[in-house]
Every structure is written in structure tokens, then in C-alpha cells.
Amino acid sequence: MESTAYLPRRGGFFSAIVSLDVEGLRFCSLMAAIAVYALRGSPTPDNPGWPEIMTGLLLLAAVGIKGGVRALTISSSAPMNLWQIGGKLFLLYGLSVPLIVGAMAGHGTGQMLRDLLPFAFFLMPVFLAQNFERRPEYGRYLLFIAIVLGFIFALRALLPFYPFSFLNVGIFPISDELFYFANAPTVFLAALMLLGLSGKTIMEATGAKDIIRATILFGLSLLPLLAMAASEQRAGVGACVLYAAMLTLLALWRSPARAARLLIAILLVVSAAFPVFMDAAEILGRKTSMVGLNMRDQEARAVWDAVSGTGNPAHILFGLGWGGGFHSPAVGGVYVNFTHSLLTSMLLKTGLVGVFLVCTYLAGLLNLLTGLLFRQPLVAMALLAPFLVDIFLYASFKSLDFGLVLLLIPVYRIYINSQKP
């Protein structure tokens, strides 16, 4: 499919969304929520304010009463995919068992709420994916919006650094709070998609305009890449290199003649920026030698000790409930209510039952990605990287961004299935 399959068609964006039907209004609410989040919100707000309230209200409007009821309903008359079954069961489970366990354990309302919000974001496909079935073209626009969100977060992550600091004047909110913008999964997604689109545009170039377009796309990809490198995200930067290599090998296999252009472009970039790449590799290598895997294995063992060492077998099955915490070796043994892996976090708070339901849900989404891989490898691999990294390595699975990445999997699959072969 041509490169424009990944981005909105010229002139078609507003004509597609400005409609008075329910799907159009819900999609406008979703876009508005993402816009507020991108410009004024943050992935990890310590002190939620009006941007978070506005984002939440707009997301509720995007779901609607009917969407909420539909998410909580399991009907035998309508066939469901594995991710829908696992997601709906986990939604029902998460709104009952961990809530009751957390309340009985006396966990604070604020701590429980800080778990429930990421829980809702994690299940965004369950709430919103069906909104796209009647308007599958919205899948293209949602991907574009997610890339823009990631780009804006990358820019906000780089604001303290010259030459981006001049944008601090009145454009974005200034605070001493740690926002962790560079850790957002959409920043990762933006870097991958812009890199992939740049390479694809070079391969399909028919004139100078295409070369200029590819150069601009590559230049834009450097911003999220720089944000990730500045925050020393080894997994993210490494995945970007692997993504570029895999797409290049795929291009060589499909069209060696066209792929020659891509190889020339890569050699020019590497030769021009070789010192920069070596400096980045040295910094990331130094971090690896100092911290290794950031004690993820010790953290997993500590979580297991927390749920199994209470003497109550129910905690192994059902966890410590929303708001539950443990003494984490990853932060010097301090008592915290988060982990750096989705699976260990679910084990801590929802037990083995919750982990089983989460794995069912994620396996269903992974199955959709596998099917998409053969039809749209550029998009599929760009979604797969943050999907895997944020499940196993980073705590950014708690963000709205991760929910958007998960939502894009069934939504873009709906869009691709709606296209003529």
C-alpha cells in the first residue's frame, strides 16, 4: 500500500471528522482529549489539575454511556476475539476483586485511584475500539494523532536544553515536577514511524519533492530519538536501530534496486553523524555497565515475596488489591506502589488470576499485530516495539500513551481490513 496509507489524505481530515453522527462526535472528543493531554498534561502527574480533569471528561464523552455498557457486557450472540474476551473479563475482575481487596486492606483512596486510572487506560481498546467499526478511516487519523502527541512530548522533554528552551516562554507549562515525557510510549512510536516513513518515501521517490519529503521526515524523527537518548533509554534507542535494520532487510528482499537508495541514504547519515552515534553509544554503554538491567529480576522476586509471604494464599491468587505496594529493590528498598513491569505490577495488585486475564488480553492483541505484520510491517513493528518494551521493562505502561498504543492495534487492523486488497 502506498505511503499515504499511514497518514491522513490531503483535505480529507476535517471532512471525515466533522460530521454530526455519533461516531464523529466521539472521535472529536477523543481528539480533544489527546490535544489537552499533549499540550497541558503529562504521563505521570504528581498533582492532577484541570488538564487531567478535562482529559478525563473528554475521554468519558468519547466512550459514552453505550460504550461503557458495551465494554461491561459479554454476549454469546456476538462473536468476540481473544483480546475482547480477556479484556472484558479483566475489566469486570478489576472493578470488583482488587477493589474489594484494596478497600479491606485499608489502602488510601488516592493510592487506589492512582491504580484505577492506569487500569482504565490499559483497557482503552475494550472501551473505544468498536467506535471505529463503522468509520474505519478514523484508524488512519488516530495513528497520525498519536505520532503528533509523541512529537509534542519529545519537544516538551527537550525544553530544558538549548536550543529548545526559548519555547518555554508561555507555550508549555513550567514546573519543577518530573514529567518523564521522553518515557512516553508515543514518543517511541513517533520515532519509529517517522523513521520508517522516511525510508519508505526514499524507496518510492520519483522526484526531488519526494527526496525533500523524506529528508523532512527523517529530520522530524531526530527529535523523539534525541529525547529518548537524552533520558538514556537503552531499550528505546536499541529498538529504533533494530527497527531500521529490519525494515532495510525487508526492503532488500522485496526490491533490491529500490533498497539501494535507502542504503545510500543510511550510509550518508551514518558517516555524517558518526561521532554523535559513538557518543550516544558510549553513554548508553556506560549506563549498562553501571546498572545492568536495573534490578528487574530482583524486583520480580520482591513482588513474589510480597504476595506469597503474607501467609494468606488468597494474596497469591488475588494480589494485594489496588493501592497495594511493596519494598522495591529497584529504588533502594523504599516502599512504593509501582513496579517497572506490567506483569509484576499486575501480580502485585491483582494476583495470578489477574495476570492470567492480562496475558489473555495481551495475547489477543499480539495476535492482531502478527496478522498486521505481513500486510503493514512498517506500522506493525512500530507498534510492537513499545508494546513489548513497556510490558517488560518500563513503568510507562501506566500512562494514557500506552493505552493509545494498545488501542491503535485493533483500530488500525479494522482500517486495513476495510481497504480493498
Side-chain angles (χ1 to χ4, degrees):
M1 188 175 294
E2 71 280 3
S3 297
T4 54
Y6 309 105
L7 300 174
R9 294 186 180 92
R10 185 178 302 174
F13 186 74
F14 291 104
S15 62
I17 65 171
V18 180
S19 64
L20 296 179
D21 62 2
V22 174
E23 286 78 14
L25 292 173
R26 286 179 175 172
F27 188 66
C28 286
S29 296
L30 179 59
M31 283 200 311
I34 296 172
V36 173
Y37 176 62
L39 297 173
R40 308 301 294 184
S42 80
T44 56
D46 290 333
N47 302 295
W50 73 262
E52 286 72 32
I53 295 173
M54 182 64 68
T55 301
L57 291 174
L58 288 167
L59 287 174
L60 288 174
V63 174
I65 296 175
K66 184 177 180 180
V69 172
R70 188 169 53 193
L72 291 165
T73 303
I74 299 178
S75 175
S76 58
S77 59
M80 291 190 296
N81 295 321
L82 181 63
W83 72 267
Q84 292 172 312
I85 297 172
K88 290 190 175 190
L89 288 175
F90 184 56
L91 175 60
L92 293 170
Y93 176 79
L95 291 176
S96 54
V97 177
L99 200 60
I100 295 171
V101 173
M104 291 179 63
H107 298 156
T109 303
Q111 294 297 329
M112 293 178 69
L113 189 60
R114 291 181 72 88
D115 285 340
L116 282 168
L117 289 177
F119 166 69
F121 296 152
F122 178 61
L123 293 171
M124 281 181 71
V126 178
F127 289 106
L128 290 168
Q130 286 188 316
N131 290 357
F132 293 79
E133 289 181 349
R134 289 183 58 189
R135 303 295 290 270
E137 67 273 16
Y138 288 169
R140 171 202 294 263
Y141 305 131
L142 185 64
L143 177 60
F144 174 72
I145 293 165
I147 294 171
V148 173
L149 168 61
F151 188 84
I152 292 174
F153 270 5
L155 180 61
R156 293 179 69 181
L158 294 171
L159 284 181
F161 305 99
Y162 178 83
F164 302 97
S165 55
F166 78 95
L167 293 172
N168 263 328
V169 184
I171 297 180
F172 298 114
I174 303 173
S175 172
D176 293 332
E177 184 178 338
L178 295 175
F179 290 124
Y180 300 105
F181 291 117
N183 289 33
T186 51
V187 174
F188 196 1
L189 176 67
L192 294 168
M193 282 299 303
L194 290 169
L195 273 176
L197 287 171
S198 174
K200 188 172 179 64
T201 305
I202 288 176
M203 285 191 59
E204 298 177 348
T206 57
K209 287 185 178 180
D210 292 326
I211 299 298
I212 293 172
R213 187 179 298 114
T215 304
I216 292 173
L217 287 168
F218 177 74
L220 292 175
S221 73
L222 294 178
L223 194 73
L225 278 170
L226 183 59
M228 290 191 296
S231 61
E232 299 183 357
Q233 290 189 47
R234 294 166 294 164
V237 174
C240 287
V241 174
L242 181 61
Y243 174 77
M246 292 180 69
L247 286 181
T248 302
L249 290 174
L250 182 62
L252 284 168
W253 177 60
R254 287 184 171 181
S255 179
R258 288 187 174 186
R261 306 176 189 174
L262 184 58
L263 288 174
I264 293 172
I266 292 173
L267 289 174
L268 288 174
V269 169
V270 171
S271 60
F274 186 75
V276 177
F277 292 145
M278 291 305 296
D279 288 343
E282 182 182 352
I283 293 171
L284 297 176
R286 190 184 307 125
K287 181 178 179 181
T288 300
S289 65
M290 291 174 60
V291 301
L293 295 176
N294 284 339
M295 303 187 74
R296 296 297 189 263
D297 53 341
Q298 294 95 323
E299 184 182 62
R301 286 196 293 268
V303 168
W304 178 253
D305 292 340
V307 297
S308 63
T310 62
N312 186 350
H315 286 158
I316 298 177
L317 288 176
F318 308 121
L320 303 181
W322 299 130
F326 74 119
H327 294 279
S328 174
V331 289
V334 176
Y335 185 85
V336 294
N337 71 333
F338 68 90
T339 77
H340 293 88
S341 164
L342 170 65
L343 298 181
T344 55
S345 182
M346 291 300 103
L347 175 62
L348 178 69
K349 297 169 189 300
T350 67
L352 291 176
V353 174
V355 170
F356 172 76
L357 295 175
V358 165
C359 287
T360 303
Y361 173 58
L362 293 175
L365 291 174
L366 185 60
N367 183 56
L368 292 184
L369 266 180
T370 303
L372 190 61
L373 185 65
F374 297 99
R375 300 179 64 181
Q376 293 288 344
L378 192 154
V379 177
M381 286 192 287
L383 290 172
L384 180 62
F387 177 84
L388 293 177
V389 167
D390 289 301
I391 287 174
F392 294 106
L393 297 177
Y394 291 161
S396 47
F397 62 84
K398 299 177 67 174
S399 65
L400 172 59
D401 301 70
F402 188 63
L404 281 173
V405 170
L406 296 185
L407 176 62
L408 275 166
I409 296 172
V411 164
Y412 203 79
R413 181 69 180 267
I414 291 170
Y415 166 67
I416 291 299
N417 288 342
S418 71
Q419 303 300 295
K420 295 180 180 179

